Amino acid sequence: MQIIRFSQAGGAPQYGWLLDDKIGLIEGSPFAAFRRGEAAIELEKVDLLSPVEPSKIICVGRNYVAHAQEHDVDVPEVPLLFLKPPSSIVGPGGTIFLPPQTQRVEHEAELAVVIGQRSRWLNPETAKAAILGYTIANDVTARDLQRRDGQWTRGKGFDTFCPVGPWIETDFDPADAVVTCNVNGELRQMGSTRDMVFPVLQLIAYASSVMTLEPGDILLTGTPAGVGPLVDGDELVSSIEGLGELRNPVRAEPPH
Ligand code: MG
């Protein structure tokens, strides 16, 4: 099932499920018991929103060997975790703003895991039951600030630096899916999730040994090789086989 979050005519956000190009309402929460309404709303007549409103965005650094190599660093011996703030989220079609403090913003297309239930101390066997589904995210990064600060909070944490969507797919196998990133129609990144250093269930179990995972939290699983710059006017498309594509325009942040 494909779960979306959307608004009609600027109204309050609602959850729905997709059947081809029609939406049915989800009555109740997709993270608890719910009923599916008849799919009768035209997809093209609504505004898609980020399908999640996480309490935290857990990210994993250097989880593909080829990406670690392009930055001339080793892959970590245990997963390298960091956080992005929920305020960094934008939905499908949402604009990524380039802040004035940075001269080098880069794209990182990533598979995102959506947590379905509150959990702690999972192991790779029990982790699967804690997952609601999967979506696409981009771990947009101010590379110059990431390097300058040492800590990654600023470089990874600006508003709009975490596009997410277009929907949550509950039937998805993360073992071997192609992740791609295009900028203005030019292919920049392509890799397979099979090349992750730490696979999804191991990452979820590891994160849950540190912090309680809440329904709607997302975990970004790292980016394949080919990261590169984003500039004003770019059109960013992050896509994953089986999960659709996530489109976001890139613009300079207007002066304040
Ligand atoms: Mg990343």
Side-chain angles (χ1 to χ4, degrees), residues 95-100 102 105 160 230-234 249-256:
T95 301
I96 297 164
F97 287 107
L98 305 173
T102 170
V105 174
T160 75
L230 293 170
V231 298
D232 184 23
D234 278 350
V250 179
R251 302 290 180 265
E253 188 171 332
H256 294 275

Side-chain angles (χ1 to χ4, degrees), residues 49-52 89-92 112 135-138 162-166 218 246 248:
L49 306 171
S50 164
V52 288
I89 287 199
V90 286
T135 189
I136 305 167
N138 203 299
C162 191
V164 181
I218 53 175
L246 173 65
N248 299 93

Side-chain angles (χ1 to χ4, degrees), residues 39-53:
I41 303 166
E42 303 275 349
L43 176 60
E44 64 179 21
K45 292 188 176 163
V46 309
D47 294 318
L48 284 186
L49 306 171
S50 164
V52 288
E53 297 178 281

